[in-house]
Amino acid sequence: MAMMLQAALEKGVHRLEGTDRDYDALMETIGDARLVLLGEASHGTQEFYRERARITKRLIDEKGFTAVAAEADWPDAYRVHRYVSGQGRDGSARDALADFQRFPTWMWRDIEVQEFIEWLRTYNDRRLDTSKIGFYGLDLYSLHASMQAVLNYLEQEDRPAAERARIRYACFDHFGEDSQRYGFVASSGLEESCEKEVVAQLVDLRRHAEDYLRRDGFVAEDAFFYAEQNARLVANAER
C-alpha cells in the first residue's frame, strides 16, 4: 500500500524550484480555458498566498485573464478594484484593503495580498481603461453594506430613485443588522419576507440603466456596474 501511494505521489507531484518555470506544466494544462479556479487546501498559510499570487500573475500576463474573483465581500473587494484600476482615493494597496474588517481579515489583509495588489495596480497603469484587470468579491454576506452602496449611488445619480430604494430597503429596518434573525422570521412565515422589495429595486435600477450610462462614459459604466451588482447581491442575500 505504501509503495502504491509513493508511486501515485511521484506521478502526480511537481517539485517547485522557485524559478519562473515552476508552473509551466500548469499553464500548459490550463490551455485556453476561460475560467481557472484556485483551491484552498492550504488556506491561511503564507506559502499558499504567495504561490496563488505567482499563478495569478502568469494567468493574467500570459493567458490574458481579465478578472480576479475572490472569496470576499463585493463592496470590500470593489474598493480594491477601484485602486487597481487607478480610481478612488486610496494611496496604497494597504489603504484599499482597509474595508476588510470582518473575520477572517487575514485572508486578504496580509503582506502577500498587498504585494499582489500593488503588482496589479502597476500592471494596469500600462493599460487602457477598457482593458484593465478587475478585482471582484463573490461572497453574499454584505446585505446591509450593499443596500447602502445602492443608496449612495442613487443619491448621486437620481434622488427620486434613491427615495424609492430607501422605502423598499426599509423593509429590513426592524430586524436591525441581524440578517440571521431576518432569515429565521421570514423563512418560518412569522412575517412577510422582503423578496418583492429587493427584486423591485433591482428591476427599477436596470430600467433606468440607459439614462445613468449616458453621462460619463467608462466612469459611468463602472459606477453603474458596481451599483447593479450590489442590488443583485441584496436580492441574492435575501433569498
Side-chain angles (χ1 to χ4, degrees), residues 80-99:
V80 177
H81 169 77
R82 288 178 59 80
Y83 174 72
V84 300
S85 301
Q87 306 175 57
R89 300 179 180 179
D90 291 313
S92 68
R94 179 170 181 164
D95 294 339
L97 289 161
D99 281 350

Side-chain angles (χ1 to χ4, degrees), residues 34-118:
R34 293 181 61 247
L35 300 174
V36 173
L37 309 184
L38 302 182
E40 54 178 346
S42 301
H43 215 20
T45 67
Q46 181 185 34
E47 293 81 5
F48 174 78
Y49 290 165
R50 183 184 64 234
E51 298 308 311
R52 178 179 63 186
R54 291 181 66 199
I55 295 170
T56 306
K57 290 176 183 179
R58 290 195 62 174
L59 290 172
I60 292 170
D61 197 35
E62 300 174 25
K63 296 289 187 177
F65 280 83
T66 59
V68 178
E71 183 190 0
D73 287 342
W74 173 264
D76 300 346
Y78 207 75
R79 180 172 174 181
V80 177
H81 169 77
R82 288 178 59 80
Y83 174 72
V84 300
S85 301
Q87 306 175 57
R89 300 179 180 179
D90 291 313
S92 68
R94 179 170 181 164
D95 294 339
L97 289 161
D99 281 350
F100 285 95
Q101 298 182 8
R102 186 176 58 80
F103 175 85
T105 56
W106 45 261
M107 281 178 58
W108 301 111
R109 291 177 65 180
D110 56 62
I111 297 299
E112 288 70 37
V113 174
Q114 287 182 36
E115 291 176 349
F116 171 72
I117 296 303
E118 293 293 6

Side-chain angles (χ1 to χ4, degrees), residues 204-215 220 224:
D204 193 3
L205 186 67
R206 287 173 170 169
R207 184 179 293 128
H208 292 86
E210 187 175 348
D211 294 333
Y212 302 150
L213 291 172
R214 279 197 195 113
R215 300 176 184 177
F224 176 79

Side-chain angles (χ1 to χ4, degrees), residues 143-197:
L143 174 67
H144 295 280
S146 288
M147 286 192 289
Q148 189 58 53
V150 173
L151 293 172
N152 291 344
Y153 172 79
L154 291 174
E155 284 289 349
Q156 297 294 320
E157 300 292 335
D158 187 343
R159 289 291 182 86
E163 186 57 31
R164 294 195 300 271
R166 189 171 287 106
I167 292 171
R168 290 173 181 134
Y169 287 159
C171 175
F172 293 96
D173 283 355
H174 58 290
F175 298 100
E177 294 290 319
D178 190 347
S179 300
Q180 289 185 334
R181 179 168 173 259
Y182 165 77
F184 173 77
V185 171
S187 63
S188 61
L190 296 174
E191 292 191 29
E192 287 289 327
S193 78
C194 298
E195 179 182 8
K196 293 180 181 178
E197 286 80 1

